Amino acid sequence: MRVAVCQLNAREDRAHNLTVARGLLERAAAGGAELAVLPEYVDFLGRSADAPKPEPVDGEFAAFFAAAAHELGIWVHAGSFHETGPDESRTFNTTLLFAPDGALAATYRKIHLYDVEIAGRVSYQESRSVAPGAETVIAEINGVPTGLSICYDLRFPELYRRLAVAGARILVVPAAFMLHTGRDHWEVLLRARAIENQCYVLAAGQIGDHEPGRTCFGRSMIIDPWGTVLAQAPDTVGVTFADLDLERLETIRAELPSLANRRL
């Protein structure tokens, strides 16, 4: 399976962000990708006061990416967006996955919320405006079980182990990983999730500066079940490709059966 991770710099201009995202999907399709993955909050990354009105899973955001999937004939993982939440003060941070015919194939709501205080460096409380999801999700993409997650989920290995035990062969991580943590933890965590779960990991990140005063790390990458980085994006907006060898995945699991040997 040929896959692509799309890296972009979403800002306050939603229409522009969506235009860039569509262009990246077109490049992914032209490059032969069967699946293209976009980053977290692909349509808007800025001040919460300026955020677009949250939408249901069948709103304008969904229609835009459903049309892209259908017109390009590829699987589109639409990063994430602000979905209408359980109350007026909170949204969900939600992934939508579309099949090549434009049908909605899966919906995942981010479970782990980024509530972090680092004195003098960062103060971010995602739970003030976002409600947590409650369900793990595996989708079949061209017959390959694929586990869904979003950004901060990456720090919680129990989520990915649950997905792997349930049959996932691919793990997808759309993100807006901060620069100050990303430069030390992003690759390490992604490779760890690949190695311990013997899965391919597809990680699509935001890159560059965003309001209010945030910088995202980028370095979108595709990692094999041995922990080898197959492809990594440069520090710019663009599309990065790799070919997944699913027979190699089964060979790794057979020769080093750590999933089968687990006791807990």
Side-chain angles (χ1 to χ4, degrees):
M1 179 189 294
R2 188 163 177 79
V3 299
V5 288
C6 303
Q7 182 166 279
L8 57 81
N9 175 234
R11 303 292 295 263
E12 301 90 343
D13 187 338
R14 190 185 195 219
H16 177 72
N17 296 334
L18 291 175
T19 297
V20 172
R22 172 62 191 238
L24 295 176
L25 293 177
E26 290 172 358
R27 288 170 58 184
E34 299 170 58
L35 164 65
V37 181
L38 290 159
E40 182 181 27
Y41 286 144
V42 64
D43 65 328
F44 177 89
L45 199 57
R47 299 179 188 278
S48 58
D50 300 324
K53 184 178 179 180
E55 301 178 12
V57 295
D58 59 354
E60 292 181 3
F61 178 93
F64 180 89
F65 287 106
H70 184 234
E71 291 164 13
L72 298 173
I74 62 172
W75 288 85
V76 171
H77 180 294
S80 79
F81 79 111
H82 299 83
E83 182 199 354
T84 305
D87 52 58
E88 292 184 359
S89 62
R90 295 181 300 166
T91 64
F92 289 115
N93 186 345
T94 301
T95 280
L96 302 179
L97 174 68
F98 296 96
D101 64 359
L104 179 61
T107 302
Y108 168 72
R109 297 175 178 92
K110 185 178 182 183
I111 292 173
H112 300 96
L113 303 181
Y114 187 62
D115 287 354
V116 175
E117 295 283 347
I118 302 176
R121 297 179 67 183
V122 62
S123 175
Y124 193 84
Q125 298 289 321
E126 188 175 16
S127 65
R128 292 176 181 171
S129 59
V130 178
E135 297 181 4
T136 56
V137 176
I138 292 179
E140 293 275 339
I141 298 179
N142 284 359
V144 182
T146 301
L148 305 185
S149 67
I150 299 174
C151 200
Y152 193 52
D153 282 333
L154 182 60
R155 294 188 179 275
F156 300 87
E158 61 273 18
L159 167 61
Y160 298 90
R161 177 49 54 90
R162 179 180 291 188
L163 293 169
V165 170
R169 265 48 180 180
I170 299 172
L171 303 170
V172 181
V173 189
F177 228 75
M178 299 290 191
L179 175 63
H180 70 277
T181 54
R183 60 192 175 195
D184 293 324
H185 296 167
W186 174 246
E187 180 177 334
V188 175
L189 289 170
L190 290 170
R191 294 180 69 191
R193 299 296 86 87
I195 293 166
E196 66 199 8
N197 296 298
Q198 299 182 313
C199 288
Y200 283 97
V201 173
L202 316 183
Q206 295 274 2
I207 179 72
D209 295 333
H210 314 266
E211 293 295 341
R214 296 188 290 187
T215 302
C216 286
F217 183 62
R219 300 289 174 91
S220 302
M221 62 183 71
I222 300 166
I223 302 167
D224 80 359
W226 194 252
T228 302
V229 178
L230 300 179
Q232 178 175 282
D235 295 333
T236 186
V237 173
V239 181
T240 300
F241 297 89
D243 295 306
L244 309 189
D245 183 348
L246 297 168
E247 290 185 2
R248 171 170 165 75
L249 181 150
E250 299 304 332
T251 298
I252 289 171
R253 289 190 175 192
E255 293 181 349
L256 182 61
S258 59
L259 280 177
N261 291 342
R262 70 187 187 281
R263 299 287 297 275
L264 300 175

